[in-house]
Amino acid sequence: MNHDRLMSRLGERSADKRVRWIVRRFLQAGVMEHGVLTPTREGTPQGGPLSPLLANLVLDELDRELDRRGLRFVRYADDCNVYVRSERAAMRAFENLTGFIEGILKLKVNRAKSAVARPWQRKLLGFSFTPGQKAKRRIAPKALGKMKDRIRELTRQSHRRFQAVMTHLRRYLAGWLGYFRFCETPSVLNELEQWTRRRLRCLIWQQWKRSARRFAELVRRGADRDEAAKLVGSSDGAWHLSRTLLLNQLFARAWFLKHGLPSFHVCS
């Protein structure tokens, strides 16, 4: 981001010289690299509290230009998707907007992350679309992968009590579901909930450790003694056993909801 152009835009919005002085000092504060202070001549500090506001101050011009051209778009900070009806129109819009951003706004377009593609081949803020004429908002594959990695981390075999694991898991899922629950592909959320319950059944089986305890816990929860003995004597691993009928019956969805697992189901 060009500092002089940014300050010019700020001057159009604010006549207070003190505000402009503070912002200029913020922009030129420099960054520490390996213990050495390096001056900043362009851009805004990454993670700085003012950076999103200053970015919107400059990119407001882009929004107005997109509106002027009658293009449909979604922008959040410096992420922007523009939607047109054909590949030819997309190529033309891409070149024209790149010229506007770099020539007029004096910003740099990240060519590696920018592309002309179908909507379902791109993502924005963790969301994408399903292919076809009646497109639906879906969770982007990369966001799903990150979520599963985090669930694996939280449900990995450990010495923490099961309820402690559930506490950490509930905190994470409360935020994740609060954001992604509004996708339009509820079957994906239902599959994720089933997969999460399987991870937890696997963890329970691992935490029981010894065969004697596993047998006692199964019987205590109402399992037939012969079925419990057969399951305990199996040579299959915990992940395979976590999908068996007996464990699914003993640790069904209602049991996990009772013990604090949030419902993944989409509320109508």
mmCIF file with all atom_site columns, all heavy atoms in Angstrom, residues 125-145:
data_model
loop_
_atom_site.group_PDB
_atom_site.id
_atom_site.type_symbol
_atom_site.label_atom_id
_atom_site.label_alt_id
_atom_site.label_comp_id
_atom_site.label_asym_id
_atom_site.label_entity_id
_atom_site.label_seq_id
_atom_site.pdbx_PDB_ins_code
_atom_site.Cartn_x
_atom_site.Cartn_y
_atom_site.Cartn_z
_atom_site.occupancy
_atom_site.B_iso_or_equiv
_atom_site.pdbx_formal_charge
_atom_site.auth_seq_id
_atom_site.auth_comp_id
_atom_site.auth_asym_id
_atom_site.auth_atom_id
_atom_site.pdbx_PDB_model_num
ATOM 1   N N   . LEU A 1 125 ? -12.946 -16.533 2.597   1.00 0.00 ? 125 LEU A N   1
ATOM 2   C CA  . LEU A 1 125 ? -13.214 -16.587 4.032   1.00 0.00 ? 125 LEU A CA  1
ATOM 3   C C   . LEU A 1 125 ? -13.714 -17.960 4.471   1.00 0.00 ? 125 LEU A C   1
ATOM 4   O O   . LEU A 1 125 ? -14.597 -18.081 5.312   1.00 0.00 ? 125 LEU A O   1
ATOM 5   C CB  . LEU A 1 125 ? -14.232 -15.510 4.421   1.00 0.00 ? 125 LEU A CB  1
ATOM 6   C CG  . LEU A 1 125 ? -13.847 -14.075 4.063   1.00 0.00 ? 125 LEU A CG  1
ATOM 7   C CD1 . LEU A 1 125 ? -14.960 -13.123 4.420   1.00 0.00 ? 125 LEU A CD1 1
ATOM 8   C CD2 . LEU A 1 125 ? -12.549 -13.674 4.742   1.00 0.00 ? 125 LEU A CD2 1
ATOM 9   N N   . GLY A 1 126 ? -13.165 -19.004 3.853   1.00 0.00 ? 126 GLY A N   1
ATOM 10  C CA  . GLY A 1 126 ? -13.513 -20.362 4.260   1.00 0.00 ? 126 GLY A CA  1
ATOM 11  C C   . GLY A 1 126 ? -14.725 -20.951 3.565   1.00 0.00 ? 126 GLY A C   1
ATOM 12  O O   . GLY A 1 126 ? -15.062 -22.113 3.789   1.00 0.00 ? 126 GLY A O   1
ATOM 13  N N   . PHE A 1 127 ? -15.384 -20.173 2.698   1.00 0.00 ? 127 PHE A N   1
ATOM 14  C CA  . PHE A 1 127 ? -16.568 -20.660 1.991   1.00 0.00 ? 127 PHE A CA  1
ATOM 15  C C   . PHE A 1 127 ? -16.303 -20.771 0.492   1.00 0.00 ? 127 PHE A C   1
ATOM 16  O O   . PHE A 1 127 ? -15.420 -20.105 -0.061  1.00 0.00 ? 127 PHE A O   1
ATOM 17  C CB  . PHE A 1 127 ? -17.755 -19.726 2.215   1.00 0.00 ? 127 PHE A CB  1
ATOM 18  C CG  . PHE A 1 127 ? -18.389 -19.855 3.565   1.00 0.00 ? 127 PHE A CG  1
ATOM 19  C CD1 . PHE A 1 127 ? -18.075 -18.972 4.589   1.00 0.00 ? 127 PHE A CD1 1
ATOM 20  C CD2 . PHE A 1 127 ? -19.311 -20.861 3.823   1.00 0.00 ? 127 PHE A CD2 1
ATOM 21  C CE1 . PHE A 1 127 ? -18.653 -19.086 5.843   1.00 0.00 ? 127 PHE A CE1 1
ATOM 22  C CE2 . PHE A 1 127 ? -19.909 -20.980 5.075   1.00 0.00 ? 127 PHE A CE2 1
ATOM 23  C CZ  . PHE A 1 127 ? -19.575 -20.098 6.081   1.00 0.00 ? 127 PHE A CZ  1
ATOM 24  N N   . SER A 1 128 ? -17.081 -21.623 -0.152  1.00 0.00 ? 128 SER A N   1
ATOM 25  C CA  . SER A 1 128 ? -17.050 -21.759 -1.597  1.00 0.00 ? 128 SER A CA  1
ATOM 26  C C   . SER A 1 128 ? -18.488 -22.045 -2.050  1.00 0.00 ? 128 SER A C   1
ATOM 27  O O   . SER A 1 128 ? -19.436 -21.792 -1.297  1.00 0.00 ? 128 SER A O   1
ATOM 28  C CB  . SER A 1 128 ? -16.099 -22.887 -2.012  1.00 0.00 ? 128 SER A CB  1
ATOM 29  O OG  . SER A 1 128 ? -15.988 -22.953 -3.421  1.00 0.00 ? 128 SER A OG  1
ATOM 30  N N   . PHE A 1 129 ? -18.645 -22.565 -3.268  1.00 0.00 ? 129 PHE A N   1
ATOM 31  C CA  . PHE A 1 129 ? -19.971 -22.896 -3.789  1.00 0.00 ? 129 PHE A CA  1
ATOM 32  C C   . PHE A 1 129 ? -19.983 -24.308 -4.350  1.00 0.00 ? 129 PHE A C   1
ATOM 33  O O   . PHE A 1 129 ? -18.937 -24.842 -4.739  1.00 0.00 ? 129 PHE A O   1
ATOM 34  C CB  . PHE A 1 129 ? -20.387 -21.919 -4.907  1.00 0.00 ? 129 PHE A CB  1
ATOM 35  C CG  . PHE A 1 129 ? -20.583 -20.506 -4.442  1.00 0.00 ? 129 PHE A CG  1
ATOM 36  C CD1 . PHE A 1 129 ? -19.578 -19.568 -4.610  1.00 0.00 ? 129 PHE A CD1 1
ATOM 37  C CD2 . PHE A 1 129 ? -21.759 -20.117 -3.838  1.00 0.00 ? 129 PHE A CD2 1
ATOM 38  C CE1 . PHE A 1 129 ? -19.743 -18.256 -4.182  1.00 0.00 ? 129 PHE A CE1 1
ATOM 39  C CE2 . PHE A 1 129 ? -21.940 -18.817 -3.398  1.00 0.00 ? 129 PHE A CE2 1
ATOM 40  C CZ  . PHE A 1 129 ? -20.928 -17.886 -3.583  1.00 0.00 ? 129 PHE A CZ  1
ATOM 41  N N   . THR A 1 130 ? -21.156 -24.906 -4.395  1.00 0.00 ? 130 THR A N   1
ATOM 42  C CA  . THR A 1 130 ? -21.310 -26.187 -5.076  1.00 0.00 ? 130 THR A CA  1
ATOM 43  C C   . THR A 1 130 ? -21.422 -25.928 -6.577  1.00 0.00 ? 130 THR A C   1
ATOM 44  O O   . THR A 1 130 ? -21.901 -24.872 -6.994  1.00 0.00 ? 130 THR A O   1
ATOM 45  C CB  . THR A 1 130 ? -22.575 -26.913 -4.597  1.00 0.00 ? 130 THR A CB  1
ATOM 46  O OG1 . THR A 1 130 ? -23.718 -26.073 -4.843  1.00 0.00 ? 130 THR A OG1 1
ATOM 47  C CG2 . THR A 1 130 ? -22.492 -27.236 -3.123  1.00 0.00 ? 130 THR A CG2 1
ATOM 48  N N   . PRO A 1 131 ? -20.964 -26.873 -7.413  1.00 0.00 ? 131 PRO A N   1
ATOM 49  C CA  . PRO A 1 131 ? -21.090 -26.686 -8.867  1.00 0.00 ? 131 PRO A CA  1
ATOM 50  C C   . PRO A 1 131 ? -22.536 -26.843 -9.331  1.00 0.00 ? 131 PRO A C   1
ATOM 51  O O   . PRO A 1 131 ? -23.384 -27.377 -8.620  1.00 0.00 ? 131 PRO A O   1
ATOM 52  C CB  . PRO A 1 131 ? -20.194 -27.796 -9.430  1.00 0.00 ? 131 PRO A CB  1
ATOM 53  C CG  . PRO A 1 131 ? -20.168 -28.842 -8.371  1.00 0.00 ? 131 PRO A CG  1
ATOM 54  C CD  . PRO A 1 131 ? -20.251 -28.109 -7.066  1.00 0.00 ? 131 PRO A CD  1
ATOM 55  N N   . GLY A 1 132 ? -22.819 -26.379 -10.534 1.00 0.00 ? 132 GLY A N   1
ATOM 56  C CA  . GLY A 1 132 ? -24.150 -26.518 -11.112 1.00 0.00 ? 132 GLY A CA  1
ATOM 57  C C   . GLY A 1 132 ? -24.899 -25.208 -11.168 1.00 0.00 ? 132 GLY A C   1
ATOM 58  O O   . GLY A 1 132 ? -24.427 -24.175 -10.697 1.00 0.00 ? 132 GLY A O   1
ATOM 59  N N   . GLN A 1 133 ? -26.088 -25.270 -11.757 1.00 0.00 ? 133 GLN A N   1
ATOM 60  C CA  . GLN A 1 133 ? -26.902 -24.073 -11.947 1.00 0.00 ? 133 GLN A CA  1
ATOM 61  C C   . GLN A 1 133 ? -27.414 -23.506 -10.629 1.00 0.00 ? 133 GLN A C   1
ATOM 62  O O   . GLN A 1 133 ? -27.428 -22.299 -10.421 1.00 0.00 ? 133 GLN A O   1
ATOM 63  C CB  . GLN A 1 133 ? -28.086 -24.399 -12.872 1.00 0.00 ? 133 GLN A CB  1
ATOM 64  C CG  . GLN A 1 133 ? -27.691 -24.706 -14.310 1.00 0.00 ? 133 GLN A CG  1
ATOM 65  C CD  . GLN A 1 133 ? -27.107 -23.497 -15.013 1.00 0.00 ? 133 GLN A CD  1
ATOM 66  O OE1 . GLN A 1 133 ? -27.543 -22.368 -14.811 1.00 0.00 ? 133 GLN A OE1 1
ATOM 67  N NE2 . GLN A 1 133 ? -26.094 -23.733 -15.847 1.00 0.00 ? 133 GLN A NE2 1
ATOM 68  N N   . LYS A 1 134 ? -27.843 -24.380 -9.722  1.00 0.00 ? 134 LYS A N   1
ATOM 69  C CA  . LYS A 1 134 ? -28.368 -23.931 -8.440  1.00 0.00 ? 134 LYS A CA  1
ATOM 70  C C   . LYS A 1 134 ? -27.262 -24.036 -7.386  1.00 0.00 ? 134 LYS A C   1
ATOM 71  O O   . LYS A 1 134 ? -27.227 -24.961 -6.564  1.00 0.00 ? 134 LYS A O   1
ATOM 72  C CB  . LYS A 1 134 ? -29.587 -24.758 -8.036  1.00 0.00 ? 134 LYS A CB  1
ATOM 73  C CG  . LYS A 1 134 ? -30.774 -24.586 -8.985  1.00 0.00 ? 134 LYS A CG  1
ATOM 74  C CD  . LYS A 1 134 ? -31.985 -25.372 -8.512  1.00 0.00 ? 134 LYS A CD  1
ATOM 75  C CE  . LYS A 1 134 ? -33.175 -25.171 -9.437  1.00 0.00 ? 134 LYS A CE  1
ATOM 76  N NZ  . LYS A 1 134 ? -34.368 -25.939 -8.983  1.00 0.00 ? 134 LYS A NZ  1
ATOM 77  N N   . ALA A 1 135 ? -26.353 -23.106 -7.451  1.00 0.00 ? 135 ALA A N   1
ATOM 78  C CA  . ALA A 1 135 ? -25.201 -23.140 -6.551  1.00 0.00 ? 135 ALA A CA  1
ATOM 79  C C   . ALA A 1 135 ? -25.625 -22.898 -5.107  1.00 0.00 ? 135 ALA A C   1
ATOM 80  O O   . ALA A 1 135 ? -26.510 -22.087 -4.836  1.00 0.00 ? 135 ALA A O   1
ATOM 81  C CB  . ALA A 1 135 ? -24.183 -22.089 -6.990  1.00 0.00 ? 135 ALA A CB  1
ATOM 82  N N   . LYS A 1 136 ? -24.975 -23.618 -4.200  1.00 0.00 ? 136 LYS A N   1
ATOM 83  C CA  . LYS A 1 136 ? -25.220 -23.454 -2.770  1.00 0.00 ? 136 LYS A CA  1
ATOM 84  C C   . LYS A 1 136 ? -23.913 -23.105 -2.073  1.00 0.00 ? 136 LYS A C   1
ATOM 85  O O   . LYS A 1 136 ? -22.841 -23.536 -2.494  1.00 0.00 ? 136 LYS A O   1
ATOM 86  C CB  . LYS A 1 136 ? -25.813 -24.726 -2.165  1.00 0.00 ? 136 LYS A CB  1
ATOM 87  C CG  . LYS A 1 136 ? -27.200 -25.076 -2.682  1.00 0.00 ? 136 LYS A CG  1
ATOM 88  C CD  . LYS A 1 136 ? -27.733 -26.310 -1.994  1.00 0.00 ? 136 LYS A CD  1
ATOM 89  C CE  . LYS A 1 136 ? -29.143 -26.642 -2.471  1.00 0.00 ? 136 LYS A CE  1
ATOM 90  N NZ  . LYS A 1 136 ? -29.674 -27.853 -1.786  1.00 0.00 ? 136 LYS A NZ  1
ATOM 91  N N   . ARG A 1 137 ? -24.030 -22.354 -1.019  1.00 0.00 ? 137 ARG A N   1
ATOM 92  C CA  . ARG A 1 137 ? -22.858 -21.978 -0.236  1.00 0.00 ? 137 ARG A CA  1
ATOM 93  C C   . ARG A 1 137 ? -22.365 -23.190 0.553   1.00 0.00 ? 137 ARG A C   1
ATOM 94  O O   . ARG A 1 137 ? -23.129 -23.831 1.272   1.00 0.00 ? 137 ARG A O   1
ATOM 95  C CB  . ARG A 1 137 ? -23.217 -20.841 0.708   1.00 0.00 ? 137 ARG A CB  1
ATOM 96  C CG  . ARG A 1 137 ? -22.063 -20.243 1.469   1.00 0.00 ? 137 ARG A CG  1
ATOM 97  C CD  . ARG A 1 137 ? -22.497 -18.998 2.240   1.00 0.00 ? 137 ARG A CD  1
ATOM 98  N NE  . ARG A 1 137 ? -23.580 -19.273 3.167   1.00 0.00 ? 137 ARG A NE  1
ATOM 99  C CZ  . ARG A 1 137 ? -24.836 -18.881 2.994   1.00 0.00 ? 137 ARG A CZ  1
ATOM 100 N NH1 . ARG A 1 137 ? -25.184 -18.189 1.916   1.00 0.00 ? 137 ARG A NH1 1
ATOM 101 N NH2 . ARG A 1 137 ? -25.762 -19.160 3.887   1.00 0.00 ? 137 ARG A NH2 1
ATOM 102 N N   . ARG A 1 138 ? -21.099 -23.523 0.410   1.00 0.00 ? 138 ARG A N   1
ATOM 103 C CA  . ARG A 1 138 ? -20.539 -24.673 1.099   1.00 0.00 ? 138 ARG A CA  1
ATOM 104 C C   . ARG A 1 138 ? -19.255 -24.285 1.813   1.00 0.00 ? 138 ARG A C   1
ATOM 105 O O   . ARG A 1 138 ? -18.674 -23.230 1.553   1.00 0.00 ? 138 ARG A O   1
ATOM 106 C CB  . ARG A 1 138 ? -20.229 -25.809 0.115   1.00 0.00 ? 138 ARG A CB  1
ATOM 107 C CG  . ARG A 1 138 ? -19.169 -25.434 -0.906  1.00 0.00 ? 138 ARG A CG  1
ATOM 108 C CD  . ARG A 1 138 ? -18.653 -26.629 -1.674  1.00 0.00 ? 138 ARG A CD  1
ATOM 109 N NE  . ARG A 1 138 ? -17.644 -26.235 -2.658  1.00 0.00 ? 138 ARG A NE  1
ATOM 110 C CZ  . ARG A 1 138 ? -16.652 -27.014 -3.063  1.00 0.00 ? 138 ARG A CZ  1
ATOM 111 N NH1 . ARG A 1 138 ? -16.530 -28.229 -2.571  1.00 0.00 ? 138 ARG A NH1 1
ATOM 112 N NH2 . ARG A 1 138 ? -15.782 -26.581 -3.961  1.00 0.00 ? 138 ARG A NH2 1
ATOM 113 N N   . ILE A 1 139 ? -18.806 -25.147 2.707   1.00 0.00 ? 139 ILE A N   1
ATOM 114 C CA  . ILE A 1 139 ? -17.534 -24.934 3.393   1.00 0.00 ? 139 ILE A CA  1
ATOM 115 C C   . ILE A 1 139 ? -16.416 -25.352 2.449   1.00 0.00 ? 139 ILE A C   1
ATOM 116 O O   . ILE A 1 139 ? -16.468 -26.434 1.857   1.00 0.00 ? 139 ILE A O   1
ATOM 117 C CB  . ILE A 1 139 ? -17.479 -25.746 4.693   1.00 0.00 ? 139 ILE A CB  1
ATOM 118 C CG1 . ILE A 1 139 ? -18.677 -25.419 5.578   1.00 0.00 ? 139 ILE A CG1 1
ATOM 119 C CG2 . ILE A 1 139 ? -16.174 -25.480 5.440   1.00 0.00 ? 139 ILE A CG2 1
ATOM 120 C CD1 . ILE A 1 139 ? -18.816 -26.335 6.786   1.00 0.00 ? 139 ILE A CD1 1
ATOM 121 N N   . ALA A 1 140 ? -15.426 -24.507 2.290   1.00 0.00 ? 140 ALA A N   1
ATOM 122 C CA  . ALA A 1 140 ? -14.317 -24.805 1.384   1.00 0.00 ? 140 ALA A CA  1
ATOM 123 C C   . ALA A 1 140 ? -13.535 -26.017 1.886   1.00 0.00 ? 140 ALA A C   1
ATOM 124 O O   . ALA A 1 140 ? -13.383 -26.205 3.101   1.00 0.00 ? 140 ALA A O   1
ATOM 125 C CB  . ALA A 1 140 ? -13.395 -23.594 1.268   1.00 0.00 ? 140 ALA A CB  1
ATOM 126 N N   . PRO A 1 141 ? -13.038 -26.867 0.974   1.00 0.00 ? 141 PRO A N   1
ATOM 127 C CA  . PRO A 1 141 ? -12.291 -28.067 1.377   1.00 0.00 ? 141 PRO A CA  1
ATOM 128 C C   . PRO A 1 141 ? -11.124 -27.773 2.312   1.00 0.00 ? 141 PRO A C   1
ATOM 129 O O   . PRO A 1 141 ? -10.867 -28.532 3.255   1.00 0.00 ? 141 PRO A O   1
ATOM 130 C CB  . PRO A 1 141 ? -11.809 -28.637 0.041   1.00 0.00 ? 141 PRO A CB  1
ATOM 131 C CG  . PRO A 1 141 ? -12.823 -28.171 -0.950  1.00 0.00 ? 141 PRO A CG  1
ATOM 132 C CD  . PRO A 1 141 ? -13.229 -26.806 -0.487  1.00 0.00 ? 141 PRO A CD  1
ATOM 133 N N   . LYS A 1 142 ? -10.399 -26.686 2.078   1.00 0.00 ? 142 LYS A N   1
ATOM 134 C CA  . LYS A 1 142 ? -9.262  -26.359 2.931   1.00 0.00 ? 142 LYS A CA  1
ATOM 135 C C   . LYS A 1 142 ? -9.719  -26.062 4.356   1.00 0.00 ? 142 LYS A C   1
ATOM 136 O O   . LYS A 1 142 ? -9.060  -26.462 5.332   1.00 0.00 ? 142 LYS A O   1
ATOM 137 C CB  . LYS A 1 142 ? -8.502  -25.156 2.369   1.00 0.00 ? 142 LYS A CB  1
ATOM 138 C CG  . LYS A 1 142 ? -7.211  -24.846 3.106   1.00 0.00 ? 142 LYS A CG  1
ATOM 139 C CD  . LYS A 1 142 ? -6.445  -23.723 2.433   1.00 0.00 ? 142 LYS A CD  1
ATOM 140 C CE  . LYS A 1 142 ? -5.142  -23.431 3.181   1.00 0.00 ? 142 LYS A CE  1
ATOM 141 N NZ  . LYS A 1 142 ? -4.370  -22.345 2.511   1.00 0.00 ? 142 LYS A NZ  1
ATOM 142 N N   . ALA A 1 143 ? -10.861 -25.379 4.500   1.00 0.00 ? 143 ALA A N   1
ATOM 143 C CA  . ALA A 1 143 ? -11.395 -25.083 5.830   1.00 0.00 ? 143 ALA A CA  1
ATOM 144 C C   . ALA A 1 143 ? -11.822 -26.369 6.540   1.00 0.00 ? 143 ALA A C   1
ATOM 145 O O   . ALA A 1 143 ? -11.629 -26.512 7.751   1.00 0.00 ? 143 ALA A O   1
ATOM 146 C CB  . ALA A 1 143 ? -12.572 -24.120 5.723   1.00 0.00 ? 143 ALA A CB  1
ATOM 147 N N   . LEU A 1 144 ? -12.397 -27.307 5.786   1.00 0.00 ? 144 LEU A N   1
ATOM 148 C CA  . LEU A 1 144 ? -12.775 -28.597 6.375   1.00 0.00 ? 144 LEU A CA  1
ATOM 149 C C   . LEU A 1 144 ? -11.541 -29.359 6.840   1.00 0.00 ? 144 LEU A C   1
ATOM 150 O O   . LEU A 1 144 ? -11.531 -29.977 7.907   1.00 0.00 ? 144 LEU A O   1
ATOM 151 C CB  . LEU A 1 144 ? -13.545 -29.433 5.354   1.00 0.00 ? 144 LEU A CB  1
ATOM 152 C CG  . LEU A 1 144 ? -14.969 -28.987 5.029   1.00 0.00 ? 144 LEU A CG  1
ATOM 153 C CD1 . LEU A 1 144 ? -15.552 -29.840 3.906   1.00 0.00 ? 144 LEU A CD1 1
ATOM 154 C CD2 . LEU A 1 144 ? -15.856 -29.070 6.262   1.00 0.00 ? 144 LEU A CD2 1
ATOM 155 N N   . GLY A 1 145 ? -10.484 -29.312 6.023   1.00 0.00 ? 145 GLY A N   1
ATOM 156 C CA  . GLY A 1 145 ? -9.251  -29.996 6.382   1.00 0.00 ? 145 GLY A CA  1
ATOM 157 C C   . GLY A 1 145 ? -8.631  -29.439 7.650   1.00 0.00 ? 145 GLY A C   1
ATOM 158 O O   . GLY A 1 145 ? -8.177  -30.192 8.519   1.00 0.00 ? 145 GLY A O   1
#
